[in-house]
Amino acid sequence: MLQCQTPIGGGIPVKFKKDILPLISLFALALPTAALADDVQVLDEISVTASRVETKTKEAPVTINIIDEDELDTVKFVDSEKELLQRIPGASMIRNLRIPMGSKNYTVNLIDGMSVNTFGSGVQSFANDTSSLDIKRIEILRGPSSVLYGSNAIGGVINVITRDAPLEPEYKVWGEGGQYSRKRGGASAAGTVNGFGYFVDTNFLDSDNWQDRSRNDRRAISSKITKDLTDNSLVTLRAEYLDVLLENPGTLTQAQFDADWSQAGVTDAYNDEQRLTLSGTYEVALTDKSELKVAYSLRDHVEAGPPSYSASGAFGDNHVANQNLIATYRHDFDFYRSRAIFGIDLQKSASDDKTYNGRTDDSGIDSRWGITAKVKSPFVQFEISPLEKLRLTMGARHDSVKYNAIEKTGTGDAQSHYSNVTRKIGATWQLDDSNNLWAGFSEGFVVPSRTYLFTTSRYIPNPNLQPERAENWEAGLRGRLFNKRMKYDLALYHTTMRDFVVIKDQAGQDGVTNVGKVEFKGVEASGAYLATDYLKFAGAYTYARNKFIDYIDGATDYSGNDLSSSPKHHVNLRATWMPLENLELELAWNKISNYFTHDNNDADPDGKASRPGIFTLRASYDMGPWSFWGHAHNLLNTKYAERVSYSTSGGGSRSYTSGEGLNIYAGLSYNW
């Protein structure tokens, strides 16, 4: 299937229309040439994220994208945010789905349905938390999903599904090289022996990258073993280890960016991380109408390094152990094709956070916190079809979150306890065999991070923070047209978030506090179109209006302002040409519209920031067991900044996060 996207174009500013007109015209010219074959077969997509059990996506009243193995193989990503997520609608330009906030986590990361991030963490790494070569597919839910996934799921959920063991033996070795000393490679083996399925993968990356001091070194090894205990039960065990060293060049001043956008703004910032994940799953079909699944994961994460946000930021050292136990029971009933899903989600994390006085680990400890978080969350979902074409979904969840924080240098301790109930209701209506309409209401909430509550050294922490709460209304249309050669997905959403957490000036020092209300609303569209047997088009379009409804900081009233780094339009278009049977050429174009650089929209005297459209060219050729590929990122070597922000301190100035210049690399693999 084509797991790609298609754009819509209403309401685009004139300048923006001029930028995208050539590619839109290319799309339009291809439409009349489509060979509308009657024998195109399309299978229903199945998602395990929409309901925590296998569900047809056409019956799920949520916005969902599934990135399959073909698209993963096309992109071969290193950084999922910059290379992969821009291909779907709803991905903001600062981490997170839908909500452009880099300092807070509004997106839940899962591996095989189990939590990746430490509870209360403000860090978001998307699919980078696992080896990219061990991924079967990625399922992405957009919008509040707290009923099934708890806190932080206001923006959405990203669930990485790892590879399964095949019945027949499969082996692969591969290598890749390119500019900036890029070296990447690995080997994998999979198969089934004496009833045991296995998958083992090891890979590495060494790259200096385009910008100074942006080195990326990764070592990864993962393995999975499966065994059918009986005809009705399956056990899966998985282990993964990642060792990652990332240099961070920081941001540039206006003068630095104008002079040389490849230089580093900070000369000693880096993250040195080691991640060990152990997990196990037991699945059993109790009857032909019921099944039970119990899953457990342990993630041990060690991270150290000075941050990049300023030259004065202190060295930090963090060690976290995160455990997640999930039990899910599904029962199908005979009446109205109904089913019930019951579950409980338990998490426990223990962290040791150390902050030093300077930017090295021999500077002396400034503070050391030991923080434990315990989460207990029962949930239930019920689905029923009172009419043949109508599917109703209802659900609720109760979350109990307890923090216990101890300052180990003797300055004191603190506790925080949160309790929350979230609900959802949705409906899908089958218009015909290929198209359906859906609508839903859902609630979400975000428990404050441990950093904002206790440990921050940059701001005044606030253990009395309240959780952020959201209400979300959505409606959408999805399906296939033109004898199923076109796949489309259209959604409209409106989310209101209360008790929004911000950093406010308190007696001359920044402090963390709840303010009023923020509104997120927009349109998201995606799709793919097979024009001929050798030409296909795909794309994604996002229209987002993100505004403060009620926010006053001292003498400044932000109410009615756009959130910073929140462009109204984001377009990603892709054309794939197959001139030969085994040769594919993909040209991708990514563009965002102008955006404000500060929450006070009038603060920046230079007005809005802009980013030009960026082209990427990918080519691949399969020849029996051999595969070859080549990529050229930023094909035209266009100068741009990933993000521009404005600070009012020190008289006011802009800072630039440099994009990537032209980067060419190629690789080959051998499969047998």
Side-chain angles (χ1 to χ4, degrees):
M1 291 185 183
L2 302 178
Q3 302 299 332
C4 311
Q5 293 81 30
T6 247
I8 62 175
I12 301 178
V14 172
K15 183 178 185 301
F16 202 65
K17 286 180 179 177
K18 291 180 180 178
D19 289 337
I20 69 172
L21 185 59
L23 280 177
I24 291 178
S25 301
L26 183 61
F27 271 58
L29 287 172
L31 293 178
T33 69
L36 304 180
D38 293 330
D39 59 349
V40 176
Q41 299 296 316
V42 180
L43 299 177
D44 287 326
E45 288 180 334
I46 299 295
S47 167
V48 296
T49 310
S51 297
R52 281 201 180 268
V53 297
E54 288 191 355
T55 301
K56 293 180 180 179
T57 57
K58 68 181 183 181
E59 295 185 341
V62 294
T63 52
I64 183 169
N65 286 84
I66 299 178
I67 302 175
D68 66 2
E69 285 185 275
D70 288 341
E71 189 160 6
L72 290 168
D73 188 57
T74 296
V75 177
K76 291 182 173 63
F77 75 90
V78 171
D79 188 320
S80 62
E81 183 179 358
K82 295 178 181 178
E83 299 176 65
L84 191 65
L85 293 184
Q86 66 178 221
R87 298 164 72 94
I88 69 165
S92 75
M93 63 179 295
I94 313 179
R95 301 176 177 152
N96 289 309
L97 297 171
R98 286 190 176 170
I99 302 176
M101 296 290 293
S103 61
K104 292 189 284 184
N105 186 0
Y106 290 109
T107 306
V108 169
N109 266 21
L110 306 172
I111 297 179
D112 293 328
M114 290 174 282
S115 177
V116 172
N117 286 348
T118 305
F119 190 88
S121 170
V123 178
Q124 179 55 267
S125 300
F126 294 117
N128 300 340
D129 277 314
T130 192
S131 170
S132 62
L133 282 302
D134 192 14
I135 300 176
K136 177 181 179 181
R137 69 181 188 275
I138 300 176
E139 298 186 359
I140 301 171
L141 301 185
R142 306 192 303 276
S145 304
S146 290
V147 166
L148 290 177
Y149 296 103
S151 176
N152 300 106
I154 288 181
V157 176
I158 298 177
N159 188 13
V160 172
I161 312 297
T162 59
R163 294 181 184 269
D164 293 321
L167 293 177
E168 299 297 325
E170 296 179 1
Y171 305 96
K172 178 178 181 178
V173 292
W174 64 281
E176 187 179 85
Q179 291 180 286
Y180 315 112
S181 304
R182 182 186 182 107
K183 296 181 290 293
R184 191 182 181 205
S188 63
T192 301
V193 177
N194 297 326
F196 285 88
Y198 67 91
F199 178 87
V200 180
D201 177 82
T202 180
N203 61 84
F204 74 93
L205 167 68
D206 291 321
S207 179
D208 289 338
N209 287 334
W210 175 84
Q211 190 175 4
D212 294 342
R213 287 201 53 82
S214 61
R215 185 170 183 82
N216 186 352
D217 292 347
R218 294 172 65 95
R219 303 290 184 271
I221 182 169
S222 59
S223 63
K224 177 187 281 189
I225 297 175
T226 62
K227 173 63 175 176
D228 291 319
L229 298 183
T230 68
D231 291 341
N232 301 321
S233 62
L234 173 69
V235 169
T236 302
L237 301 175
R238 183 175 182 272
E240 178 181 60
Y241 178 75
L242 278 79
D243 190 335
V244 182
L245 176 63
L246 292 171
E247 291 183 332
N248 197 318
T251 60
L252 304 180
T253 65
Q254 178 80 63
Q256 289 173 322
F257 184 78
D258 291 342
D260 179 9
W261 63 305
S262 69
Q263 66 179 299
V266 178
T267 60
D268 62 350
Y270 67 90
N271 280 3
D272 188 1
E273 303 180 49
Q274 294 80 43
R275 309 169 190 161
L276 173 65
T277 303
L278 303 173
S279 63
T281 303
Y282 173 69
E283 303 171 73
V284 56
L286 301 174
T287 68
D288 61 346
K289 296 181 181 298
S290 61
E291 66 178 9
L292 174 68
K293 181 177 180 179
V294 180
Y296 171 81
S297 70
L298 169 65
R299 165 65 68 95
D300 189 84
H301 183 192
V302 178
E303 180 179 3
S308 64
Y309 56 79
S310 72
S312 61
F315 186 94
D317 187 345
N318 175 247
H319 182 193
V320 179
N322 191 68
Q323 301 178 72
N324 189 198
L325 175 65
I326 304 171
T328 307
Y329 173 75
R330 174 190 60 81
H331 191 91
D332 297 333
F333 300 96
D334 293 329
F335 59 93
Y336 300 117
R337 205 163 56 86
S338 58
R339 70 177 181 180
I341 302 165
F342 303 92
I344 187 164
D345 187 351
L346 304 174
Q347 290 190 59
K348 180 180 179 181
S349 67
S351 64
D352 185 6
D353 297 334
K354 287 185 287 186
T355 302
Y356 293 78
N357 293 316
R359 292 180 67 83
T360 62
D361 59 0
D362 59 0
S363 304
I365 295 176
D366 179 63
S367 66
R368 181 173 182 178
W369 285 85
I371 301 175
T372 301
K374 296 181 179 180
V375 185
K376 180 170 62 177
S377 307
F379 59 88
V380 61
Q381 180 164 298
F382 183 71
E383 303 170 18
I384 188 171
S385 296
L387 301 174
E388 181 181 356
K389 295 185 177 182
L390 177 64
R391 187 73 170 167
L392 301 177
T393 301
M394 297 153 279
R397 176 184 178 113
H398 178 266
D399 286 272
S400 175
V401 179
K402 294 182 179 180
Y403 281 113
N404 184 46
I406 300 175
E407 218 300 326
K408 295 184 177 181
T409 58
T411 60
D413 56 17
Q415 294 81 33
S416 292
H417 180 207
Y418 302 94
S419 181
N420 192 78
V421 175
T422 49
R423 294 146 294 189
K424 73 173 183 179
I425 185 170
T428 59
W429 179 264
Q430 198 70 25
L431 298 174
D432 55 38
D433 290 341
S434 302
N435 301 274
N436 73 300
L437 182 69
W438 64 270
F441 168 79
S442 58
E443 296 175 323
F445 77 107
V446 175
V447 170
S449 70
R450 68 180 191 271
T451 303
Y452 282 178
L453 288 169
F454 311 115
T455 67
T456 178
S457 58
R458 296 179 65 193
Y459 319 113
I460 302 174
N462 184 357
N464 298 315
L465 284 174
Q466 297 300 307
E468 298 172 318
R469 303 178 188 275
E471 294 181 349
N472 179 67
W473 297 89
E474 288 188 89
L477 182 67
R478 59 188 165 214
R480 296 180 183 269
L481 301 170
F482 305 126
N483 285 355
K484 299 182 180 180
R485 281 187 171 268
M486 174 178 281
K487 176 184 176 182
Y488 70 94
D489 195 321
L490 175 66
L492 296 83
Y493 67 92
H494 185 281
T495 303
T496 302
M497 189 186 304
R498 294 176 173 82
D499 294 323
F500 193 63
V501 173
V502 299
I503 310 301
K504 295 184 69 173
D505 186 69
Q506 297 180 351
Q509 188 174 6
D510 290 334
V512 188
T513 188
N514 296 101
V515 294
K517 187 164 58 175
V518 184
E519 178 185 70
F520 305 89
K521 61 182 178 181
V523 178
E524 297 168 346
S526 62
Y529 178 65
L530 184 60
T532 70
D533 291 338
Y534 55 87
L535 187 63
K536 59 183 178 182
F537 300 96
Y541 171 71
T542 303
Y543 172 78
R545 293 300 305 270
N546 304 324
K547 288 183 172 292
F548 292 105
I549 303 301
D550 181 13
Y551 172 26
I552 299 175
D553 185 4
T556 305
D557 186 355
Y558 293 88
S559 303
N561 285 5
D562 287 354
L563 272 68
S564 62
S565 304
S566 183
K568 292 180 181 178
H569 304 277
H570 178 197
V571 176
N572 182 275
L573 301 178
R574 304 182 298 281
T576 302
W577 181 40
M578 296 156 280
L580 302 175
E581 182 178 357
N582 298 311
L583 174 64
E584 284 195 4
L585 302 173
E586 181 193 84
L587 179 64
W589 181 77
N590 195 70
K591 170 69 177 177
I592 66 170
S593 60
N594 297 347
Y595 57 89
F596 289 107
T597 62
H598 194 279
D599 290 339
N600 180 355
N601 297 167
D602 298 325
D604 189 343
D606 292 326
K608 293 183 177 181
S610 62
R611 184 199 293 182
I614 302 299
F615 286 92
T616 297
L617 179 64
R618 298 181 174 95
S620 64
Y621 182 68
D622 293 327
M623 186 177 63
W626 292 95
S627 295
F628 305 86
W629 65 88
H631 293 186
H633 291 271
N634 194 353
L635 183 63
L636 304 181
N637 198 28
T638 304
K639 184 175 182 178
Y640 76 103
E642 285 285 350
R643 180 193 173 198
V644 180
S645 60
Y646 186 82
S647 173
T648 57
S649 62
S653 62
R654 278 187 167 188
S655 62
Y656 292 77
T657 301
S658 289
E660 180 185 51
L662 175 64
N663 188 0
I664 301 174
Y665 57 89
L668 62 88
S669 67
Y670 182 73
N671 302 266
W672 74 98

